[in-house]
Amino acid sequence: MRSIDDLDVSGQRVLVRADLNVPMSSGEISDDGRIRASVPTLTALADRGARVVVMAHLGRPKGKIVPELSLAPVATRLSELLQRPVEFSPALTGPDVQAAVSALDDGGILLLENVRFDPRETSKDRERRQRLAADLASLADAYVSDGFGVVHREQASVTDVAQLLPNAAGRLVESESRVFNRLISDPDRPYAVVLGGAKVSDKLGVIGNLLSRVDRILVGGGMCFTFLAAAGHPVGDSLLEADQVETVRQVLADAADRGVEVVLPVDIVVAREFSPDAEKATVAADAIEAGWMGMDIGPQTIELFAEKLADARTVVWNGPMGVFEMPAFAAGTQAIAEALADTSSFTVIGGGDSAAAIRAFGIADDRYSHVSTGGGASLEFLEGKQLPGLAVLEDH
Ligand code: ADP
Ligand code: MG
């Protein structure tokens, strides 16, 4: 992988794929961590006189123009963080964007509108993607991959365009790759992974592959109910992916064979409904009744998890332990965040919501070894998979 230092960028047009997919609530950016993470590469390129054209996506517009998913507010915040002007192009392709790029001075920065507004970006049809990639490549002389959160995707702005221009990895992709390479090649043991969050089926797939790499898996968050169900316990009205129960049973059997410890919650904070001021109670994890839904791990589970993490020398955490957005159900996530902030082990936080949770609790990023910007990408890296957005940088 080449770095941006290997590219001669002065006076050149450089197309950068960044990950600016920040959480928004009512038009406001609620956590700008990913925008901040894009600053080092953009600053380095602009300082060296590149004419920087930034591509990124926001949310899942599914190939249509969705005004609420415009990157315009991100351009404003990016400009504040970079402390330099950032132009915004509502067009992705065509004469208007060509003109906007031509108007850039050395060191100038232009952010293009949400690349997923174009249906070709995420098309499964390679030729369609390549047509968008050709349009995008025509805007630049070189390509820089800096969107770590999307390097596991085969998409026009990630893989196809990288093949059409001289390419390099940006600072973020370099530093993330360094951390995850260390985790798969040479982790200090015991090595524990803490998994939570809502995207149950997304993460179930990776667990099977993690079994051959880690010593201990702690499961909380919405996904723990599929595990509790697989262990034969009732889960009431909690989040459950019934079609995954069998897979999880297999995972539990595999784990037992391999001597990997799977630690499940022993108590759960349950609520009558999914709302911040719902009636709540703490119950044993094997006795959640109908009419109640699991919202957070309970106090005994917090203690158990903290104990299981205390002697770990490597810890990867992906996914909140509960519905941390509601203060009544944030205790589990906060306790784990604090326990990890205070260890001397190698601690890596992955997942957009997990990183946002840490910042919401006011815990500084630098109290962990690494806070990743990539959720899915970091998990696939941990599985030992080859990530297409990185592979394309190696062989070009
Ligand atoms: P990450 O972005 O860190 O990978 P996910 O996107 O998988 O995490 O999941 C984050 C979401 O999971 C949060 O919005 C949180 O409210 C939700 N969540 C956590 N625990 C539960 C639960 N018990 N029931 C429902 N949702 C949950
Ligand atoms: Mg998420």
Side-chain angles (χ1 to χ4, degrees):
M1 234 157 48
R2 270 180 302 181
S3 96
I4 54 175
D5 302 321
D6 303 319
L7 293 178
D8 181 15
V9 298
S10 178
Q12 302 289 298
R13 300 165 304 161
V14 180
L15 188 60
V16 180
R17 178 53 159 108
D19 177 9
L20 305 177
N21 188 25
V22 288
M24 308 279 295
S25 70
S26 39
E28 299 280 320
I29 296 164
S30 46
D31 176 47
D32 64 6
R34 282 179 166 157
I35 307 177
R36 287 177 189 277
S38 75
V39 165
T41 296
L42 299 180
T43 300
L45 290 170
D47 280 350
R48 284 167 53 206
R51 302 168 180 213
V52 185
V53 181
V54 186
M55 305 181 280
H57 75 281
L58 187 63
R60 296 184 176 191
K62 304 200 168 134
K64 294 199 184 63
I65 296 173
V66 179
E68 304 78 66
L69 295 177
S70 170
L71 281 172
V74 171
T76 308
R77 180 65 62 90
L78 182 60
S79 171
E80 288 163 14
L81 292 169
L82 289 168
Q83 296 178 290
R84 54 182 100 207
V86 172
E87 303 296 327
F88 180 70
S89 166
L92 278 168
T93 57
D96 288 352
V97 65
Q98 295 280 0
V101 174
S102 302
L104 280 176
D105 291 322
D106 291 0
I109 298 177
L110 173 72
L111 173 63
L112 307 186
E113 183 54 288
N114 192 338
V115 68
R116 290 191 187 168
F117 283 0
D118 190 310
R120 296 173 294 177
E121 166 69 358
T122 57
S123 173
K124 296 276 172 264
D125 177 348
R126 178 185 218 113
E127 279 174 24
R128 286 190 76 206
R129 288 203 315 267
Q130 283 172 336
R131 282 197 287 277
L132 173 59
D135 284 347
L136 294 168
S138 75
L139 301 174
D141 307 298
Y143 173 79
V144 170
S145 167
D146 209 34
F148 182 72
V150 290
V151 292
H152 60 315
R153 302 292 190 201
E154 227 170 317
Q155 295 175 345
S157 70
V158 182
T159 45
D160 300 291
V161 73
Q163 287 164 304
L164 301 176
L165 293 168
N167 71 40
R171 300 275 190 254
L172 179 64
V173 161
E174 274 182 322
S175 69
E176 295 259 19
S177 301
R178 201 175 309 121
V179 167
F180 287 98
N181 272 322
R182 171 170 167 181
L183 287 172
I184 56 173
S185 58
D186 187 25
D188 291 336
R189 294 183 183 276
Y191 176 7
V193 175
V194 187
L195 293 173
K199 293 180 250 162
V200 193
S201 38
D202 278 14
K203 295 180 186 178
L204 284 180
V206 317
I207 298 177
N209 288 301
L210 283 177
L211 287 179
S212 60
R213 301 180 180 272
V214 305
D215 302 303
R216 216 171 273 161
I217 299 182
L218 285 59
V219 185
M223 71 190 299
C224 78
F225 303 103
T226 306
F227 276 76
L228 291 169
H233 305 312
V235 298
D237 298 342
S238 308
L239 203 62
L240 170 70
E241 279 193 33
D243 58 343
Q244 298 288 337
V245 169
E246 203 39 57
T247 313
V248 173
R249 231 174 246 138
Q250 195 54 52
V251 165
L252 291 171
D254 278 2
D257 285 349
R258 291 174 182 273
V260 174
E261 190 182 4
V262 178
V263 187
L264 298 183
V266 289
D267 60 346
I268 295 288
V269 177
V270 293
R272 279 290 183 198
E273 54 187 22
F274 194 82
S275 109
D277 45 14
E279 182 193 350
K280 63 174 191 166
T282 301
V283 300
D286 60 2
I288 303 172
E289 290 173 17
W292 293 93
M293 61 182 76
M295 300 287 278
D296 194 11
I297 55 174
Q300 286 178 32
T301 305
I302 290 174
E303 227 169 89
L304 173 67
F305 281 12
E307 214 172 275
K308 296 289 179 186
L309 295 173
D311 71 330
R313 301 198 37 224
T314 302
V315 181
V316 176
W317 177 25
N318 181 298
M321 294 291 98
V323 186
F324 74 94
E325 297 91 338
M326 303 179 189
F329 309 108
T333 304
Q334 182 153 9
I336 299 304
E338 277 164 6
L340 293 181
D342 291 333
T343 63
S344 57
S345 55
F346 190 64
T347 48
V348 178
I349 317 298
D353 291 286
S354 314
I358 286 163
R359 296 188 195 108
F361 299 140
I363 306 175
D365 281 20
D366 63 8
R367 291 181 66 197
Y368 306 96
S369 307
H370 181 74
V371 179
S372 176
T373 56
S378 62
L379 286 172
E380 290 197 17
F381 210 129
L382 290 175
E383 282 180 58
K385 274 196 191 155
Q386 228 208 15
L387 306 185
L390 297 180
V392 84
L393 303 178
E394 308 281 349
D395 57 34
H396 194 74

